[in-house]
Amino acid sequence: MNSTPTRSWPHWTLPILVLAGVLLAQALLIFNPGYYSHDELQWAAFAGQHPGWHFRDYLWRDVQSFQYRPLTFSLWLWLSEHLFARPLAFHGLMVALGGLNAAMLAVLLRRWGVTAGAAAGGALVFALGPFAALTHGWVGTLADLIWVGCALAVALLVQRERGGAATWFAVFVLTALALLAKEAGIVIPALMALGWWFLGRERRWLTATVVAALPVAAYLALRVGVLLFSPREAANYGWSLAFIPERWLEYQLYPPIATKMAIAGTLSRGLGDGRVWLAILVWLGTAAVLWRLGPRWFVGWLLAGTAALGPVMILAESANQYGYGYAAATAGVCAAAWPQLRRWGRVVLVVAALLSVWHGVNVMRRMHEVGTIQAVYSPAMAQAVQRAGGKTVRLAIADDGQAWIYQRLSHEIPGYAGVPIGERVKLVAAGEAADYQIQRDGSLKPLR
C-alpha cells in the first residue's frame, strides 16, 4: 500500500463528489414512481394498519424469529408510514444511503494511500454495479445498506491513527447494530481479520477483530440454532454446505453478464451459455492481473470477497443484495491495486468495470420499468377489488413475459391504499375465465 498522500483539496471533497456521482448516475432509481416487489407493499400495509411506534416492541423481543432484524424492520415500518405515498422521496433516501456507503469506501481507500481518482473510481464501480443497483433501488434491501454501512464505518474508525476506549466501544456498537439489521453482520470480524493480515498486521486491526467478535459471539449463542434449524419461510432460505461451490461461482461470474436481471440461476444453463464464458474470461483476466502484481493481492481479493459473502453461500439461492458487501470488498481491493498496475492490467480492470456498470444500468432500467408498472397496477387492482364487493377478482396477464412482475406485485398483499386485498385477487392462466386482463402498462382491461 502507498504511503498516506498529501491532500491537495479539502478532505471532504472526495466523499461529496462520490455521493453526488451516485445520486446523479442513479437518478433513474430516485425518480421511480413505484415499487419493485411485494414486500414493499406488505410493509406499507402493516405500517398503515398500525401507525406509530408502540406496536413494534415485539420486533425486538422475538429473538427466536428466523428473520430477527428489529432495527431494519422498525426503520422500514417508520419510513413506510411516512414515505410510501411519496416514492421519489423513499427512493431518494435509499440511493443516498447507498451513496454514503460508496463515499465511506472512497475515504477508506484514500486513507490507505490510494490515489483520489482510483478511490473514487473503485467506489463508483461498487455503487453502480448490478449488486448495488438492485440494493439501492429496492426498499426491501434496507438491511443490506445498514450492515454494509456499519462495516465500512468500523473500518474507518479502525484505520484512524489514534484509537482508544471510545473507538473500541464504537466498533462494538456498530457491529451490534449491523447484527440487529441483518444476520450478515456476523462477517465483520472476518473482514477486520483480513485487514490485519493485508495491512501489515497492525495491532489495531487485531484489536478490532476481537472487539467485533464479542457481539457476534453473543448473537450466535442466542441465534445459531434458529438460523440453522427453524422452519423456513421460503425454499430459497434452505441451506446446505453442498451449495457453497455453485453459490460462490455465481457471485464471481454474475457482474459481467450485463443482460441478466437477477443473479439467481446464473449457472442454470451451464457452460452452454455464452455469457458465462465471457464472465469466466473476465474473472480469469482480473485474477491474472492481481496475481501478476503479487500473490498477496490475488489471495486478498479472493478472501475479501469470500469473507463478505460468508454465510449466504450455504443458501439454496443467490440474491443480488447478498452480494452487496462482496461488491464493496472486491471493488476496494481492485482500486487499491490500480496505482501499481501496468497498462495491460488497467485495461483488464477497466473492461471488467465497464461491463459491471453496464450491467448495473440495465438492472436500474428494469427496476424503473417495474416501478412504473406498479404505480399503475396496484391502484387499479385495489379499485377492482373495491368494486367487486367481496368477490375474488380474477386477473389474466396479457404478456406472459411480464408474469414475474405481477406475481411479485400480487403476492400476499394485505391491502393497498386502505382497500383490503388478501386472497381477493387471483392471477389466472391463459385461457381461464378472468374479470380483467392486465395490460403491459399495468392497467386493467375489463373482460366482462
Side-chain angles (χ1 to χ4, degrees):
M1 206 63 72
N2 302 329
S3 59
T4 302
T6 301
R7 296 188 180 96
S8 57
W9 52 18
H11 68 279
W12 43 262
T13 305
L14 177 62
I16 286 179
L17 288 175
V18 169
L19 173 59
V22 174
L23 291 172
L24 287 172
Q26 294 187 329
L28 204 58
L29 292 179
I30 296 173
F31 292 100
N32 186 346
Y35 295 94
Y36 176 65
S37 193
H38 63 285
D39 50 4
E40 295 158 300
L41 308 180
Q42 289 170 344
W43 284 81
F46 298 152
Q49 292 167 0
H50 305 280
W53 285 84
H54 60 277
F55 84 105
R56 295 163 194 167
D57 292 345
Y58 75 92
L59 294 173
W60 296 83
R61 293 194 306 265
D62 189 12
V63 295
Q64 298 305 308
S65 171
F66 176 63
Q67 287 193 332
Y68 179 69
R69 303 172 183 176
L71 178 61
T72 294
F73 292 155
S74 293
L75 285 173
W76 191 354
L77 284 166
W78 184 76
L79 290 170
S80 293
E81 183 180 333
H82 295 282
L83 295 181
F84 181 79
R86 297 184 289 276
L88 303 191
F90 213 158
H91 292 308
L93 174 64
M94 292 290 291
V95 174
L97 290 174
L100 288 173
N101 285 344
M104 284 194 286
L105 178 60
V107 172
L108 185 62
L109 289 167
R110 189 68 172 139
R111 287 184 183 177
W112 284 340
V114 178
T115 61
L124 288 173
V125 169
F126 151 61
L128 304 182
F131 293 114
L134 187 138
T135 305
H136 296 173
W138 182 6
V139 172
T141 61
L142 177 62
D144 300 277
L145 287 170
I146 295 172
W147 90 256
V148 171
C150 288
L152 288 165
V154 166
L156 283 172
L157 285 171
V158 178
Q159 184 61 12
R160 296 189 308 173
E161 292 293 337
R162 59 190 181 279
T167 295
W168 307 128
F169 177 75
V171 167
F172 183 96
V173 170
L174 284 167
T175 305
L177 290 175
L179 293 166
L180 292 173
K182 192 171 185 178
E183 52 278 359
I186 64 174
V187 306
I188 291 178
L191 293 171
M192 296 303 105
L194 282 174
W196 170 80
W197 172 75
F198 196 66
L199 299 171
R201 294 175 172 80
E202 296 181 8
R203 183 182 179 87
R204 53 185 165 168
W205 288 97
L206 184 59
T207 304
T209 302
V210 173
V211 172
L214 295 176
V216 170
Y219 179 88
L220 290 176
L222 288 171
R223 300 269 303 143
V224 67
V226 178
L227 291 171
L228 294 179
F229 305 115
S230 66
R232 296 309 193 243
E233 299 175 0
N236 57 318
Y237 289 125
W239 70 274
S240 170
L241 296 178
F243 293 145
I244 292 176
E246 183 177 357
R247 294 293 86 77
W248 185 86
L249 277 174
E250 284 182 327
Y251 287 104
Q252 309 303 310
L253 300 181
Y254 171 70
I257 304 178
T259 56
K260 188 159 185 14
M261 171 65 183
I263 187 175
T266 294
L267 301 176
S268 60
R269 292 164 59 185
L271 296 179
D273 188 343
R275 300 175 303 172
V276 171
W277 281 107
L278 171 64
I280 290 172
L281 289 175
V282 171
W283 189 92
L284 289 174
T286 304
V289 166
L290 295 173
W291 180 267
R292 186 72 178 269
L293 186 60
R296 179 166 159 269
W297 285 95
F298 170 72
V299 174
W301 174 64
L302 282 183
L303 291 181
T306 302
L309 290 170
V312 303
M313 291 188 294
I314 70 172
L315 295 179
E317 187 174 271
S318 299
N320 287 41
Q321 66 272 22
Y322 297 165
Y324 189 56
Y326 164 84
T330 51
V333 173
C334 289
W338 176 269
Q340 304 178 48
L341 295 177
R342 296 181 179 180
R343 180 175 297 178
W344 74 271
R346 292 186 175 190
V347 169
V348 170
L349 290 193
V350 166
V351 169
L354 288 176
L355 286 171
S356 181
V357 172
W358 176 27
H359 194 172
V361 170
N362 287 340
V363 170
M364 180 171 62
R365 291 170 56 197
R366 179 54 66 91
M367 296 196 74
H368 185 88
E369 175 192 348
V370 174
T372 302
I373 289 172
Q374 183 277 321
V376 175
Y377 171 67
S378 294
M381 177 183 65
Q383 290 172 9
V385 168
Q386 195 169 36
R387 287 194 295 265
K391 297 180 180 178
T392 299
V393 176
R394 299 166 64 85
L395 304 177
I397 301 171
D399 183 351
D400 288 341
Q402 292 184 322
W404 69 274
I405 297 175
Y406 298 111
Q407 287 166 1
R408 293 178 74 101
L409 296 179
S410 307
H411 180 66
E412 297 181 355
I413 310 300
Y416 189 85
V419 178
I421 304 292
E423 301 296 324
R424 298 169 67 188
V425 169
K426 182 180 180 181
L427 299 178
V428 299
E432 293 187 28
D435 302 303
Y436 298 88
Q437 184 183 64
I438 310 173
Q439 305 300 290
R440 285 186 57 83
D441 64 353
S443 60
L444 300 184
K445 176 184 176 181
L447 297 179
R448 296 182 181 182

